[in-house]
Amino acid sequence: MYNSFFKLHSSPFGTSPDPRFLYMMPHTREALACLEYGISARKGFTVLTGEVGTGKTTLLKRALASFNNRRISTAFVFNPRLEVLDFLEFVLADFGIQPANRTKSGMLLQLNRWLIERFRMEETCVVVIDEAQNLSWELLEEIRLLTNLETSSEKLLQIVLSGQPELEEKLRHPSVRQLRQRIALWCRTQPLTENQTHAYVAERLRLAGATRPIFTGDALNLIYRYSHGIPRVINLLCEHSLIVAYVEQVQEVSAELVEGVASELELETQPFLISPVAIGGSGRGNFGETSGLMTAFEGDTKGRQDR
Ligand SMILES: Nc1ncnc2c1ncn2[C@@H]1O[C@H](COP(=O)(O)OP(=O)(O)OP(=O)(O)O)[C@@H](O)[C@H]1O
Ligand SMILES: [Mg+2]
């Protein structure tokens, strides 16, 4: 709609998790490296958590895309509100395996044989489960059992669980302590700082072909205050601001214009509820113990919160 008015070749602030737009901040780089390492080093369980709209799905897609030229098979479960049988059937189908019969034991046997075959071909097999905060307890337990598919030295199946802070809460529950003990790597996304918000908007505009800032510095400060650094909300505010600027035929987005948009969208500048889990400690991913890579959750969360 406004692209030609602002001399852009594409829409800069789409809300889909398009990995081509991934802007690398230190925590993004860290989380991406954590995901890539967890998968390629066959660590078994890797977890990615972060507040709503902070880029988890975008990051997962980017991590999988980075293995493009390597031997990897992936199954991507984007809606895990499934019964156990449906889940297994979905995973098999996404790996390209036609289930011979729809029983749990039958599908597990078939998966195991297929994984061994892939392992011999030096291929890494990954199941990525997005929105994993929605997993039922029963399915979580089944997923844990999937990591029992292993050779004497290596996991045959890598599992990435990604979800909102509720997933962290869920994984703290005593009933899933066996699974928790198996988490080898824990990666996190987080909201952007004010400076990062400025740089993020500039980068998305640049990728869409902009040759000038379009937003004033004050407008960007306000975008940060209303979005609290959450990329999805930043996109929403920027998109609406550009539409309004286009409708009013102004070439620059001012703070006043953003103020009007934020009030239309009923956004508040007061911090909304971001659980302490999401921003726990430094808010950074637990990626970086002395060896450079974090170990697991180590059975409890205290050390992590204190870090
Ligand atoms: N580092 C980043 N660089 C560029 N765009 C980003 C980044 N992080 C998030 N975004 C953008 O923010 C929006 C929300 O990202 P995404 O859907 O990946 O978040 P999410 O954490 O998976 O959200 P949810 O918790 O609702 O599943 C998308 O438009 C995405 O492109
Ligand atoms: Mg998501």
Side-chain angles (χ1 to χ4, degrees):
M1 174 188 191
Y2 53 70
N3 286 1
S4 60
F5 181 69
F6 291 109
K7 298 192 173 63
L8 305 170
H9 54 61
S10 57
S11 297
F13 299 108
T15 45
S16 62
D18 188 341
R20 286 173 306 168
F21 279 100
L22 192 70
Y23 176 59
M24 288 292 184
M25 287 154 285
H27 70 265
T28 326
R29 196 165 288 122
E30 200 175 334
L32 184 62
C34 175
L35 278 174
E36 288 173 352
Y37 175 77
I39 294 170
S40 61
R42 296 176 187 257
K43 286 289 177 183
F45 263 115
T46 301
V47 171
L48 172 67
T49 49
E51 251 317 318
V52 176
T54 49
K56 298 177 295 295
T57 304
T58 315
L59 209 56
L60 290 173
K61 293 192 167 182
R62 175 62 166 264
L64 295 181
S66 72
F67 290 100
N68 227 355
N69 300 323
R70 282 184 260 169
R71 294 173 185 205
I72 187 161
S73 284
T74 52
F76 197 106
V77 182
F78 45 85
N79 175 10
R81 281 188 205 269
L82 295 169
E83 299 293 324
V84 172
L85 280 185
D86 291 334
F87 173 82
L88 285 174
E89 196 175 16
F90 185 93
V91 168
L92 259 67
D94 221 28
F95 274 139
I97 312 165
Q98 178 69 42
N101 65 56
R102 207 179 171 276
T103 61
K104 194 166 121 185
S105 57
M107 288 194 278
L108 282 175
L109 199 64
Q110 217 179 337
L111 180 63
N112 196 27
R113 286 196 188 122
W114 184 82
L115 288 171
I116 291 170
E117 210 177 283
R118 299 281 137 177
F119 182 73
R120 289 204 186 107
M121 294 160 76
E122 295 180 8
E123 201 169 291
T124 303
C125 300
V126 196
V127 176
V128 177
I129 302 165
D130 202 5
E131 309 274 0
Q133 72 278 358
N134 294 328
L135 284 165
S136 65
W137 296 109
E138 188 193 3
L139 194 46
L140 256 182
E141 175 62 5
E142 286 301 329
I143 290 166
R144 175 184 75 81
L145 294 172
L146 283 181
T147 55
N148 287 344
L149 302 174
E150 57 192 346
T151 66
S152 51
S153 59
E154 283 189 84
K155 301 281 178 205
L156 290 174
L157 187 60
Q158 313 313 310
I159 295 176
V160 179
L161 295 179
S162 169
Q164 294 163 3
E166 292 83 345
L167 175 63
E168 298 206 14
E169 295 295 340
K170 207 160 198 168
L171 294 174
R172 283 214 186 94
H173 196 272
S175 66
V176 293
R177 62 190 183 283
Q178 272 183 294
L179 187 156
R180 191 167 67 222
Q181 283 171 5
R182 286 164 198 229
I183 298 170
L185 289 154
W186 198 298
C187 331
R188 285 192 179 76
T189 55
Q190 53 184 298
L192 314 192
T193 62
E194 187 162 359
N195 283 341
Q196 287 169 346
T197 302
H198 281 241
Y200 170 87
V201 171
E203 178 63 6
R204 290 198 72 122
L205 285 170
R206 191 189 66 76
L207 287 170
T211 52
R212 62 187 183 89
I214 302 181
F215 292 76
T216 66
D218 285 346
L220 290 173
N221 291 342
L222 212 51
I223 285 171
Y224 170 71
R225 283 183 53 208
Y226 278 112
S227 66
H228 308 281
I230 304 285
R232 184 181 289 130
V233 186
I234 299 175
N235 286 8
L236 190 73
L237 267 169
C238 290
E239 171 73 6
H240 282 254
S241 299
L242 287 178
I243 292 170
V244 172
Y246 168 70
V247 170
E248 294 180 359
Q249 295 286 292
V250 291
Q251 284 286 341
E252 195 171 64
V253 174
S254 64
E256 293 71 42
L257 192 151
V258 171
E259 189 71 63
V261 168
S263 109
E264 277 288 308
L265 294 172
E266 297 182 9
L267 296 176
E268 306 280 344
T269 50
Q270 288 90 353
F272 50 60
L273 235 183
I274 294 181
S275 73
V277 172
I279 54 172
S282 65
R284 294 170 64 83
N286 270 3
F287 185 59
E289 52 160 3
T290 37
S291 67
L293 297 166
M294 86 161 265
T295 53
F297 209 22
E298 290 154 7
D300 79 44
T301 55
K302 189 167 182 308
R304 202 165 43 87
Q305 297 257 353
D306 292 344
R307 217 166 283 173

